[in-house]
Amino acid sequence: MKDLVSANKINTIPKINDFIVKFANVNGSGSASANNMFAKSIFRMGIPVSPHNIFPSNIQGLPTWYEVRVSEKGYLGRREGVDLMVAMNEQTIKSDIDSVLPGGFVLHDSSKPLSDELIRGDVHFLPIPLKDIVLKEFDKPSQRQLFKNIVYVGALSAFLDIDFEVLTKMISDQFRGKEKLISPNIHSLELGYQYASDNFKCPLPIKLKPSNKNENKILINGNTAIGVGCVYGGATVASWYPLTPSTSVVDAFDKYCKRLRIESGSGKNKFSIVQAEDEIAAIGMVIGASWNGARAFTATSGPGISLMQEFLGLAYFSEVPAVLFNIQRAGPSTGMPTRTQQGDLLSCAYASHGDTKHILLFPSNPKECFDFAADSFDIAERLQTPVIVLSDLELGMNEQISEPLEWDDNRRYDRGKVLNEEQLKSIERYGRYQDSDGDGIPYRTYPGTHPNKGSYFTRGSSHDANAAYTEDGDIYAEGMDRIALKFKTAIKYLPEPDISNIKKHKLGMIYLGTTTSAIQEVLDSLTKKGISLDTMRLRAFPFHLDVKEFIENHELLYVIEQNRDAQLKSLLKIECNALEEKMHSIRSYNGVLITAQKIETEILDSLKTSEKNKGISA
């Protein structure tokens, strides 16, 4: 039995519930389910855990990584450096081993010896002959590959002190109804556990201890939460064109509609899902269904947004509600389809040509994905305009710890200003675009509401208050001014910014979406260095007045975002007249989630070196 720490005389700081395990695999090798089982087992032990899947855009054969952060403090953003690397990919093994922190560990398949150039004197190696073990135990090649992954999970259970019963129960749950698969999977776990226990001193200095930090929490990804939110939000129509990373939004909607939207007795579907020929057709179907009174949506990513621009302008100008979920990925063009980014802020805020502005919602966790998805249909119908919910790949496709999804059964949908037959009877003349209430929002009707009242022609060309065609510039300008007024009215229906640490510090931080995962860790670390900041998380656009006030009340603001061109800062400058000299961009656009370390380093560097920050203190 190898006592790694004493034998190698490598300084390894003991860590309990605070480390990173990273799996380096080949895409298509069946490792995803095994790695996911590892992360879920830690969650079931009550320990906060955050998995991040980094995968290629092809079917199989290229490198893939699965990074699992364990943090008793609940820091669920990415952290730089790896404490234990499960190195299963010969293509990347050198760089994978190089990424391990001094004193860390490398689990590798010793069926084939490592070359001398891969050996580091400051890390511990955990050689396990995985290939030899499965060759001896399993006859079928397909089984050998799959069970090899389960064997290393079994070994990790010994190394990290994972509750073995948690793992076996997970396998039983996963293969319920397929009992023939339960026994060989549990056997594979036992093989790995036994080999690690017999050949190494277990557990390692980095290990797990059961906790209670996950009480009343769930593990769910944002796209699933959006799909469920659409069901509860009353959506009955989804039109879409498959596009990574948005596809699973409609998959989830379909799954839960089949549970909740099947008419009892007849078995008929009370929903419609249409796969369109392209993104242009998909948004066109949404607009058509919404115009007819249905709650409809589509899901896409950046390339789809590019194609949908003209139709979004039509919905904006003709004032038809529509809901769109943009699960952002790295661009432009095809970009990196399986990497995350926040690069569509400007293209969504002002989508289409001419003077357009759209409602944007920015969820930062699965619970908000659910809530904002449901709310988006109320907002779209109340304001009679498109609503775009901007998530991203990191939030959409990675499971995250979340508050439970909750729904009030007494809640009623807000259909906005819709005239029924009786109301139409009492009106001498109906004008589709008349602002009778002074809030910029006109009244609309559903087709067929009244036999001869309430009909109108919906057009994308210039129209007057009665929906009649006009090229009178003054009338066009009046209509545009009314729509602008509607967006001032919109503010009261949008989620307010989350402003915290209000202590009137001179420094502030502004962020949105998945950058949220790193913020608390940054604040805690800076506080230890005597630096304090006020923070504001944006949750919607157009911005509330609080956003402008926050900017005006601080001398220096750090704007955290995940794109190259500082799009969030640009929005703040356009909409809030924010001064360039008081806004410092901290950007990351390499396709993976920004880390707390990067944010903190840039803040510290800016305070030390920037001449304009002289005299500014926390």
Side-chain angles (χ1 to χ4, degrees), residues 216-220 365-368 400-405:
N216 198 36
K217 299 287 179 64
I218 61 173
L219 203 60
I220 187 173
N365 55 60
K367 177 67 162 56
E368 286 190 337
Q400 300 187 17
I401 292 177
S402 172
E403 300 294 330
L405 311 183

Side-chain angles (χ1 to χ4, degrees), residues 277-292:
E277 61 266 35
D278 55 33
E279 291 90 346
I280 300 173
I283 189 64
M285 292 176 189
V286 169
I287 294 169
S290 299
W291 175 86
N292 201 42

Side-chain angles (χ1 to χ4, degrees), residues 466-480:
N466 295 314
Y469 176 77
T470 181
E471 291 193 19
D472 186 313
D474 291 335
I475 294 176
Y476 161 81
E478 287 176 4
M480 291 295 286

